[in-house]
Amino acid sequence: MTAEIENNLKDYIKTLSTYTSTEEGVTRVVYSEEDEHAKHYIKQKMFDLQLEITEDEIGNIFGIWKGTNPSLKSFWTGSHIDAPTHGGKYDGVVGVISALEAIHHLKQEGMQPERDIVVVVFAAEEPTKFGIGCLGSKVLTGKVEKEELKNFRDSNGHSLDEILKKAGKKIDEIPYQKLQPERIHSFLELHIEQGPILERKNIDIGIVDVIAAPTEMNVIIYGEQRHAGSTPMDERKDPYPAAAEAALALEELTKSVSSSSVGTIGNISVTPGTSNVIPSHVEFSVDIRDTTTVKKDKIVTCLLEKIRDITSARGLTYSYTIQSNDTPSKMDEQGVEKLKNLCEKLGYKSYVMNSGAYHDAMVLASCVRANLLFVPSYKGISHAPSEHTDIIHLIKGTKVLIDYMKTECFNQA
Ligand code: HGY
Ligand code: MN
Ligand code: MN
């Protein structure tokens, strides 16, 4: 059993990591050629497992192992396969391949579930393309309105509508709130921790109780474009130092509110972006997260007040848009207990913890019983080329998933 699971998981990871637009790490932006190749490969694997395969108009893929009792609610499991720029091989991928490998293993044991087992590959979990995370699961659960989608533009100004058309999809046919919570028993996502705790504590499996959620913003600070050489320092309206002050304010605010608060400026652009020109404006992303809405909103409010004060003191103006403002989500308590017991039975050390990263389980938890399992990340590194998880941990995570499926989907008389 173990040797075969190991070989299959290694094959999945090796093959999927070839679908990338960069040599350095894995870059697989949603709706890109690489993303389509990866989705085609996963659909092929679903076909080989004789699953019923569907894909919705935003690009979520569903591989269904039909159960014998259609009156039972279905069990959902899965994650995403899009990857951030110069990301790693494991983020999201682990949840999809372990689900498919679990099904492969159970089929080999000649088992047949009573309830449907649905493997979901959520589209656009990463915010790379449109600045909003978990787009696929948010559309599925009705968290993003149809009209909103029509306003989506990527950094090149291309609309979601155009991009979907190129991928052979029609925005108007996107099924809104397609997910019927009353038809779903539960959702379980296996994911890499993307942090250092499990490795540091030498724990096999992380069982998540709360997922921190992001507020994702875009801020523009406007100054006055002038000559870098002939403009005296006291006559400048330079937006860049103001942005730098805002970055330091963000760092100070997140450190002061709580140990679970985080704030990141991951993307900044300077216009016109020439070395001898004082910029006309500076645009930057802000990603603020915490495990409670109160703490997160406090940071957002204080940061915007700071930016207001910094810009007015410098005679500058600013604007901002909020791309997404997600709610931190509690995982299903019953599921946490079940997973703890399963790990104990398997002889794996488990640890209940929160998740600093968000996941599709965060979105699903708003309408179905959702749980999230972690396997350790090497040195806690993720969203980077050196992201790595030892195969033994992937095997253990897959075995927990196999046993969870056995308890939840088989012999449900
Ligand atoms: O950013 C996140 O937390 C996720 O990895 N996309
Ligand atoms: Mn990610
Ligand atoms: Mn992920």
Side-chain angles (χ1 to χ4, degrees), residues 229-277:
S230 54
T231 311
M233 290 308 284
D234 59 2
E235 287 182 28
R236 294 179 178 216
K237 291 189 184 302
D238 186 346
Y240 199 93
E245 274 192 282
L248 291 173
L250 174 63
E251 185 183 51
E252 210 177 300
L253 271 169
T254 43
K255 283 183 176 173
S256 66
V257 169
S258 88
S259 59
S260 54
S261 319
V262 288
T264 313
I265 292 178
N267 184 357
I268 186 163
S269 66
V270 183
T271 303
T274 320
S275 62
N276 62 349
V277 177

Side-chain angles (χ1 to χ4, degrees), residues 132-144:
I132 172 174
C134 300
L135 179 59
S137 51
K138 284 178 183 168
V139 167
L140 199 57
T141 52
K143 300 258 171 313
V144 174

Side-chain angles (χ1 to χ4, degrees), residues 100 199 251:
L100 294 176
E199 183 181 69
E251 185 183 51

Side-chain angles (χ1 to χ4, degrees), residues 91 125-126 194 289 357-358 383:
D91 176 1
E125 190 273 353
E126 297 293 350
Q194 301 182 293
R289 308 189 192 192
Y358 59 72
H383 281 192

Side-chain angles (χ1 to χ4, degrees), residues 132-134 138 213-216 293 296 324-328 358 362:
I132 172 174
C134 300
K138 284 178 183 168
T215 295
E216 290 163 308
T293 304
K296 175 162 68 104
S324 71
N325 182 19
D326 293 324
T327 309
Y358 59 72
M362 168 187 78

